[in-house]
């Protein structure tokens, strides 16, 4: 099968879209298919080396389209109109066009696919309406315009794949048709409890504090500022791993935190496994890959009861879900688990058990079933019998909001 993957982001960028596209393309090659990646070019002068993988150092073919920085967030690139896009798609002679988090480049790729008579499949990964509000782009009108754009692009696709149950429900509620579930995988060999480094723990928490960490981009929509109360808890040391436009403001807002900057590969796996507790604060996650990576590392999780985390975190089984955008609830949850090491250990083990079957291989094969069904429908054939995802997810029914945590009794507060 020949597949064009039009993606708004690709390595060397570091985010969920770039990572999932990379792993998807690698899986296609391993299964004998021929992907072509089309993505915005990085800033002039920035390095964009060829991506190789596997024992044979297979090179993934990538076409980079001229781009400009997103105003206010230059790390994000927006593809400019270019004949290179149409030429790349037509030249690859695809059976299917895969639109990864389509908005600008993806919308144009959808038009090209239609012009060529090729079916397209859209993967929803970014809460663009929520981002419009977080960045105050047009206020409520900005969110409405974002949903209009999402509907327009996704209605042109043969089907839309959502990464979580809440994301699928949100899309359907806003008029996007033909929505199916396609979650994300995690490398549970790379992210593993055995990578815990006690020497690193002592260096980060020399007083024996409970090590609480956030991993991810430092940007307004991630609401890392909600961790100010966590950083002030006695017996707790806050660690922040990542980089982004909010880094300077967060360093000022979280004076007691240790900022490690961006970490990747084995170093990132070691950071995860060395944590005693992982906390995520972003209320706009359609999935949240960092939660899966923390769970694979055997680390309990505190996360907002919104979006993707609702599928991932078993409340009071693998972690605690708290009211979104509620700094007090986050602080209370961290205090509760910081005071209870046996429960942290139990939650960490349960979380690890939950994610070990969610391999990128299993997720990739599920995607190939979606491809096969789309192609069969396009040809007017009877599609293969749909196979339900075999990836265990936290039960999502009924989808009732999780109440804010009750105040932690004084006798349970960390000493």
């Amino acid at each position: 099968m020949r597949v064009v993957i039009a993606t708004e982001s690709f390595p060397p960028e570091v985010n969920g879209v770039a990572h999932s596209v990379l792993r998807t393309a690698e899986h296609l090659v391993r299964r004998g298919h021929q992907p072509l990646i089309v993505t915005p070019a990085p800033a002039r002068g920035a390095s964009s080396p060829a991506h190789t993988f596997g024992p044979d150092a297979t090179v993934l073919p990538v076409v980079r389209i001229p781009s400009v920085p997103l105003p206010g967030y230059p790390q994000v690139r927006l593809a400019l109109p270019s004949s290179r896009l149409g030429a790349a798609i037509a030249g690859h002679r695809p059976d299917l066009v895969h639109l990864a988090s389509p908005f600008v480049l993806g919308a144009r790729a959808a038009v090209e696919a239609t012009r060529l008579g090729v079916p397209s499949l859209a993967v929803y990964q970014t809460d663009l309406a929520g981002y419009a509000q977080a960045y105050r782009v047009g206020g409520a009108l900005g969110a409405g315009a974002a949903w209009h754009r999402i509907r327009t692009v996704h209605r042109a696709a043969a089907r839309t794949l959502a990464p979580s149950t809440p994301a699928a429900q949100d899309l359907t509620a806003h008029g996007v048709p033909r929505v199916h579930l396609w979650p994300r995988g995690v490398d549970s060999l790379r992210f593993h409890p055995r990578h815990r480094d006690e020497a690193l723990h002592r260096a980060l928490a020399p007083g024996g504090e409970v090590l609480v960490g956030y991993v991810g981009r430092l940007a307004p929509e991630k609401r890392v500022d909600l961790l100010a109360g966590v950083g002030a808890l006695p017996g707790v040391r806050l660690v922040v791993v990542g980089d982004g436009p909010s880094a300077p403001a967060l360093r000022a807002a979280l004076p007691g935190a240790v900022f490690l900057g961006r970490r990747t590969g084995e170093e990132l796996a070691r950071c995860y496994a060395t944590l005693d507790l992982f906390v995520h604060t972003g209320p706009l996650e359609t999935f949240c890959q960092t939660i899966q990576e923390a769970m694979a590392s055997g680390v309990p999780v505190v996360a907002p009861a919104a979006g993707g985390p609702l599928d991932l975190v078993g409340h009071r089984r693998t972690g605690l879900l708290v009211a979104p955008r509620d700094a007090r609830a986050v602080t209370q949850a961290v205090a509760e688990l910081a005071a209870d090491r046996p429960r942290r250990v139990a939650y960490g083990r349960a979380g690890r058990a939950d994610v070990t079957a969610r391999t990128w291989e299993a997720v990739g094969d599920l995607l190939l079933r979606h491809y096969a069904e789309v192609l069969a429908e396009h040809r007017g054939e009877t599609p293969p019998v749909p196979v339900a995802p075999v990836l265990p997810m936290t039960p999502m029914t009924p989808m009732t909001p999780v109440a804010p945590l009750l105040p932690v009794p004084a006798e349970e507060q960390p000493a």
Side-chain angles (χ1 to χ4, degrees):
M1 188 187 315
R2 303 178 68 85
V3 179
V4 168
I5 303 178
T7 176
E8 309 290 337
S9 182
F10 190 70
E13 294 179 51
V14 179
N15 56 56
V17 174
H19 182 66
S20 66
V21 168
L22 174 61
R23 300 308 295 265
T24 295
E26 290 176 348
H27 185 75
L28 290 176
V29 172
R30 290 190 178 103
R31 289 290 189 258
H33 304 292
Q34 296 174 273
L36 172 70
I37 298 155
V38 183
T39 188
R44 182 176 299 177
S47 175
S48 55
H51 183 82
T52 60
F53 73 100
D56 300 327
T58 301
V59 178
L60 288 176
V62 179
V63 173
R64 297 191 180 268
I65 306 300
S67 68
V68 295
L70 176 67
Y73 199 161
Q75 292 91 338
V76 175
R77 307 291 299 185
L78 300 178
L80 293 168
S82 171
S83 60
R84 191 178 301 178
L85 172 63
I89 295 176
H92 192 62
R93 295 179 289 108
D95 300 295
L96 179 142
V97 174
H98 173 134
L99 310 172
S101 196
F103 194 64
V104 177
L105 179 67
R108 296 177 189 138
V111 171
E112 290 295 331
T114 300
R115 185 178 66 82
L116 294 170
V118 175
S120 62
L121 175 149
V123 178
Y124 178 72
Q125 289 182 252
T126 305
D127 183 358
L128 294 167
Y131 277 36
Q133 291 179 318
Y135 285 89
R136 297 182 174 87
V137 180
L141 292 176
W147 273 117
H148 177 75
R149 179 74 164 184
I150 291 167
R151 279 192 298 273
T152 300
V153 175
H154 285 260
R155 283 175 176 171
R159 69 175 54 183
T160 287
L161 303 184
S164 64
T165 309
Q169 293 174 338
D170 208 17
L171 287 164
T172 301
H174 283 88
V176 176
R178 303 178 295 279
V179 178
H180 298 252
L181 185 65
W182 181 57
R184 301 291 174 270
V186 65
D187 187 341
S188 57
L189 294 179
R190 167 172 287 180
F191 299 103
H192 195 286
R194 66 169 172 262
H195 297 309
R196 184 176 175 88
D197 186 333
E198 295 298 342
L200 176 61
H201 194 287
R202 288 191 296 271
L204 295 172
E209 298 92 345
V210 174
L211 200 58
V212 178
Y214 166 87
V215 178
R217 288 186 296 114
L218 306 184
E221 73 276 5
K222 299 298 183 182
R223 293 306 310 272
V224 184
D225 58 293
L226 297 176
L227 296 177
V230 171
L233 284 171
V236 167
R237 175 57 59 88
L238 179 62
V239 176
V240 177
V241 180
D243 200 2
S246 296
L250 289 171
R251 289 178 184 274
L254 308 173
V258 179
F259 284 79
L260 296 181
R262 176 184 167 189
R263 295 288 187 271
T264 59
E266 294 180 2
E267 193 175 17
L268 176 60
R270 185 166 62 109
C271 289
Y272 271 120
T274 303
L275 297 175
D276 299 307
L277 177 62
F278 177 81
V279 59
H280 190 83
T281 47
L284 303 177
E285 301 299 321
T286 59
F287 187 75
C288 198
Q289 185 66 8
T290 58
I291 286 180
Q292 278 207 138
E293 291 168 351
M295 293 171 70
S297 302
V299 180
V301 174
V302 171
L310 286 167
D311 266 2
L312 299 174
V313 181
H315 186 53
R316 298 199 178 278
R317 187 177 64 82
T318 67
L320 297 177
L321 291 168
V322 301
R325 301 177 178 86
D326 189 332
R328 182 170 176 267
V330 173
T331 303
Q332 289 174 346
V334 170
E336 180 178 335
L337 290 181
D340 194 339
R341 184 179 183 278
R343 190 143 60 104
R344 293 199 309 271
V345 172
Y347 285 0
R349 287 174 177 166
R352 167 81 185 168
D354 272 7
V355 303
T356 50
R358 300 180 200 164
T359 65
W360 281 107
E361 182 179 38
V363 167
D365 285 343
L366 182 60
L367 177 64
L368 289 174
R369 287 303 303 261
H370 284 295
Y371 284 0
E373 291 171 12
V374 166
L375 288 171
E377 292 167 359
H378 181 69
R379 295 166 183 154
E381 303 169 357
T382 302
V385 177
V387 177
V390 296
L391 311 174
M393 306 293 285
T394 298
M396 279 296 303
T397 53
M399 268 200 58
T400 52
V402 177
L405 292 173
L406 296 175
V408 182
E411 62 270 20
E412 295 185 17
Q413 295 280 358

